[in-house]
Amino acid sequence: MKIKMLALISLSSVLFGCGGDDDSDSLDQRMMSLEELESALPVDAQGTNSSLAGLWLMQLTSQMSVDTNSEDDSVDELHYLHGRQVALITETEDGFHTSFCGSYAVQTDLDFAAADGAEGTSYSAGLVEDRTFFNLSITDNREMTGELTVAHDDEVTGDYQFLGVKLSDATSFAAASNEMDITASLTVNGVEYAFSELGTDLTCVGSSAGSAENTADSYRTDAFHVGFTTVESGASGVSLALGELSCPQNMIDGSSETAIAECDTASLVVELESRGFEYDEKEVILDSGFSVTSAENTDRNALWDVRIGLPGA
């Protein structure tokens, strides 16, 4: 497999350069604190407090653990990823719905509702599998803190903590583009989709960077994830950790016609860009993308690019 990466930025150095705790352990080996997440927020809460529904920025930190030997207290792999996602919260008959796409640790949709007796400030997921835990605290319908744990199977568990602010009351990316600079484009096997086509279908865009460790031999490498979700096709994204590549399949309409060559069998050229971690560039909320191309057949490719600027910038 041929893997090529461009514009991969050290998140830990950027965060520590913008108010992070220089005396703390490396972000390559731990999750971030809520204080660190808050210090890296590029924007204050926007919109009104009339409803949770709208477009939200979530500053995230996550851990994914892989344990193939349940008899041992140690785990085989640890992945730490930190970054951002911009996601819609939409109102449903029973509560609200949102997507998580900013980290390899957790990529899912969840429905949630106000917790009993919490006076509308605390929310949790509806009845889900007992291996999923989701808790969310909302302030004035414009700020949030939350945590999500998903056991993907008996071996893999993803933990995800976030701090968020509302960006807009708009209930689609297309509508929110009237208030802030949002551009996105996707090309799949030569077919181009501009933001004018994607804007009403997107539910979440995000990216994160960090590290992954094989604990058995203490091998550590950079890890990255760039992802998005749409109404029709669910989650798509590119992740790279410990030299293993996960790339998008069945993008846009869920059919095999839009699939990229299988990552574990094809020779691929991959580029990931995580420009969204340049926190000193204050007018940018998120700016990232990826491209995946089969080295054997360049007609098999996917190119994704997204940029979200501050309201009124």
Side-chain angles (χ1 to χ4, degrees), residues 31-32 34 37 57-64 81-87 98-108 110 133-135 144-150 152 157-163 204-208 225:
M31 294 179 71
M32 295 168 63
L34 288 178
L37 291 176
L57 166 65
M58 298 180 188
Q59 196 92 342
L60 64 95
T61 182
S62 67
Q63 171 188 287
M64 187 176 74
L81 287 163
H82 323 284
R84 291 174 177 161
Q85 70 171 39
V86 174
T98 194
S99 300
F100 294 86
C101 68
S103 172
Y104 185 42
V106 176
Q107 301 176 73
T108 189
L110 274 181
F133 169 80
F134 179 54
N135 186 59
M144 70 169 69
T145 57
E147 52 188 330
L148 170 64
T149 297
V150 177
H152 302 282
T157 301
D159 292 297
Y160 186 112
Q161 294 182 340
F162 56 91
L163 183 149
C204 178
V205 297
S207 59
S208 54
H225 175 79

Side-chain angles (χ1 to χ4, degrees), residues 33 43 62 69 78 101 113 127 131 142 161-162 164 220 237 295 306:
S33 67
V43 62
S62 67
N69 183 2
L78 279 173
C101 68
L127 185 61
R131 296 185 299 180
R142 298 172 75 236
Q161 294 182 340
F162 56 91
R220 184 185 300 277
V306 61

Side-chain angles (χ1 to χ4, degrees), residues 170-194:
T171 55
S172 73
F173 277 78
S177 66
N178 294 323
E179 305 169 37
M180 63 188 74
D181 175 25
I182 304 179
T183 59
S185 62
L186 174 68
T187 300
V188 181
N189 298 335
V191 179
E192 297 182 7
Y193 303 85

Side-chain angles (χ1 to χ4, degrees), residues 59-134:
Q59 196 92 342
L60 64 95
T61 182
S62 67
Q63 171 188 287
M64 187 176 74
S65 58
V66 181
D67 182 8
T68 59
N69 183 2
S70 59
E71 298 178 358
D72 192 335
D73 291 337
S74 64
V75 296
D76 299 303
E77 295 179 19
L78 279 173
H79 301 232
Y80 292 99
L81 287 163
H82 323 284
R84 291 174 177 161
Q85 70 171 39
V86 174
L88 286 173
I89 293 180
T90 56
E91 193 162 3
T92 67
E93 291 184 1
D94 300 319
F96 297 89
H97 178 89
T98 194
S99 300
F100 294 86
C101 68
S103 172
Y104 185 42
V106 176
Q107 301 176 73
T108 189
D109 290 344
L110 274 181
D111 295 314
F112 61 96
D116 292 340
E119 299 182 354
T121 61
S122 180
Y123 296 79
S124 61
L127 185 61
V128 293
E129 295 181 10
D130 57 6
R131 296 185 299 180
T132 299
F133 169 80
F134 179 54

Side-chain angles (χ1 to χ4, degrees), residues 4 16 27 29 38 78 113 121 179 196 208 269 293 306 309 312:
K4 178 182 180 183
F16 290 150
L27 288 178
Q29 301 177 53
E38 184 176 14
L78 279 173
T121 61
E179 305 169 37
S196 58
S208 54
V269 177
T293 304
V306 61

